[in-house]
Amino acid sequence: MAASLGLFLYDWQQWVLARSLAERPDGAWAAMEVGLWVPRQNGKGSILEAREAAGLLLFDEQLIIHSAHEFKTAREHFLRMQTLVDANPEFSAKVKAVYTANGQESIVMRSGARLVFAARSGGSGRGFTADTIVYDEAFALSAAAVGAMLPTLATIPNPQVWYTSSAAKASSEVMHSLNKRARSVDPGRLWLADWCVSEGRTREDRDGWYEANPSLGIRISEEFVETELAALRDLGTEFERERMNVHEAPDLGAGVFGPGVWAACADPDSQMVDVGAVALDVSPGMAWASFAAAGTNQHGLPHLELIRKDAGTGWVCAEAVRIGRKVWIDPRSPAAALVRELRNAGVDVEEMPAGEFPRACVSLQEQVTAGKIRHLGDPKLDAAQAGAAIRTAGDSWVWGR
């Protein structure tokens, strides 16, 4: 299809598309999430052109949302897709309209299918029901943007999400989470292709340039990389990140909410005057247990507080009795092993329904991002949010360890 549109793909681009679009026996995509990390100017845009054109022409996808961190970046890809349409009479004949007004850029097919371009924000994507979401320039992708868009896939039978970018920055919370999950024992339905140099290679190592740049020698010349290295030599690690695709170490202080967002909600003078809920969590292996509370403070704002975190679980029942309130748990967490013991001790235990947990995660994210939450700046709670990640749960997402 791509070749018929005059879009001739390199071998590595074909390799990415062939594997990212692999199917299960039931016809669904094997990968619901696709990640592609490759240095700039190697040709990831052509891969997205082919994927989005296929969504409109082959896959019967009714809505594709292409987003970028800035609208000018999303518009640049829109112009590429517009050129692809205009250059191909067969493609153009199937297009009903191309909307070019600023902020309304989209391609609408006679079938009703649409390719919409948007700049990301905490609320972008709400109100849509998309088949495919493309997060371009994912190094600037926030958890809030994912939280706004990912639920749009909930009722789609065969959705897919694409994340594309050059190397991660320290603040690239979603990219670091994807990298961690992709390299874990169970990455779920995530397929990730990451072009990067082998450990130990220096910036002068030409073999390293070729490792990280699949289009070097095809559309990028060694001479250009030499010039680029000379220009960036004294600018820290910019050459390593931009050309050798070396990810910056994650900023653990940023957490799942982004740099400074959680810290901005700290208020050591906040006092919980109305306890709304108490929750228990237990770590894998039952090594640690924690009680936390959520309620409102003296100013009527939501207040979060860690009641107690301690080693093991032998103390949990006595602490729950001392607290004297209903205790909520996630039945899919290790805390579920303590339910019978807690109830035998007279504790009122409530198990959170599966559908409530994703909604609670989104609600917490929105309130923290909006600066409406208050906490005491407890180092243990700070460490918990800094170490949290995001994982998919069915067609939605939840916080993960």
Side-chain angles (χ1 to χ4, degrees), residues 65-371:
I65 299 176
H66 180 108
S67 75
H69 64 312
E70 296 178 346
F71 190 75
K72 62 182 181 181
T73 306
R75 180 173 172 77
E76 187 64 30
H77 191 75
F78 162 72
L79 294 174
R80 292 178 62 154
M81 291 300 297
Q82 185 182 20
T83 299
L84 195 65
V85 170
D86 292 344
N88 293 275
E90 290 188 16
F91 194 174
S92 183
K94 296 179 181 180
V95 173
K96 179 180 179 181
V98 177
Y99 295 97
T100 60
N102 191 37
Q104 304 296 318
E105 285 84 348
S106 59
I107 297 172
V108 180
M109 308 296 287
R110 295 189 185 279
S111 65
R114 292 178 295 152
L115 172 57
V116 175
F117 298 83
R120 288 193 290 269
S121 69
S124 62
R126 295 187 186 278
F128 290 97
T129 302
D131 295 84
T132 296
I133 295 174
V134 175
Y135 295 115
D136 197 13
E137 305 295 3
F139 71 85
L141 179 61
S142 69
V146 175
M149 280 196 181
L150 202 61
T152 69
L153 304 172
T155 59
I156 299 299
N158 192 23
Q160 194 167 56
V161 182
W162 279 66
Y163 309 87
T164 62
S165 186
S166 51
K169 295 186 175 182
S171 59
S172 302
E173 51 186 325
V174 175
M175 278 188 72
H176 286 300
S177 175
L178 289 165
N179 283 339
K180 182 178 179 181
R181 181 149 54 93
R183 290 162 172 80
S184 69
V185 174
D186 181 17
R189 293 176 64 194
L190 168 64
W191 185 86
L192 177 66
D194 184 1
W195 267 267
C196 54
V197 295
S198 301
E199 200 170 329
R201 289 198 185 275
T202 66
R203 53 172 57 180
E204 285 83 11
D205 191 330
R206 291 173 186 261
D207 289 337
W209 299 355
Y210 279 93
E211 280 186 343
N213 294 271
S215 293
L216 184 59
I218 306 173
R219 58 179 288 160
I220 302 173
S221 69
E222 286 192 15
E223 183 181 21
F224 174 80
V225 178
E226 290 170 357
T227 304
E228 189 178 33
L229 174 57
L232 298 176
R233 187 177 297 279
D234 298 325
L235 298 179
T237 58
E238 282 300 296
F239 180 83
E240 281 79 2
R241 195 181 72 81
E242 294 290 352
R243 183 53 57 203
M244 301 181 80
N245 221 35
V246 176
H247 302 290
E248 291 182 355
D251 177 5
L252 297 180
V256 289
F257 303 109
V261 176
W262 173 257
C265 294
D267 180 1
D269 295 323
S270 181
Q271 298 178 12
M272 189 181 298
V273 296
D274 182 16
V275 179
V278 172
L280 167 67
D281 190 32
V282 176
S283 68
M286 315 294 277
W288 293 88
S290 305
F291 282 97
T296 54
N297 70 2
Q298 68 270 34
H299 304 298
L301 293 172
H303 175 105
L304 308 179
E305 191 169 328
L306 184 64
I307 299 173
R308 181 180 174 185
K309 176 185 178 182
D310 221 328
T313 59
W315 56 275
V316 167
C317 274
E319 182 68 9
V321 171
R322 184 194 70 77
I323 292 170
R325 289 179 175 271
K326 178 189 294 184
V327 174
W328 288 82
I329 69 160
D330 175 6
R332 291 155 298 279
S333 79
L338 301 177
V339 169
R340 179 179 297 180
E341 184 180 353
L342 287 165
R343 287 177 174 160
N344 288 342
V347 178
D348 184 4
V349 179
E350 188 79 23
E351 298 183 26
M352 176 171 275
E356 287 297 314
F357 191 29
R359 284 191 284 272
C361 290
V362 172
S363 176
L364 174 63
Q365 177 197 67
E366 290 181 334
Q367 292 187 71
V368 171
T369 302

Side-chain angles (χ1 to χ4, degrees), residues 28-52:
W29 302 127
M32 195 191 89
E33 295 177 281
V34 175
L36 172 60
W37 314 149
V38 65
R40 292 178 179 177
Q41 302 304 315
N42 274 274
K44 68 177 173 63
S46 296
I47 292 175
L48 294 180
E49 284 182 78
R51 173 61 182 87
E52 290 164 359

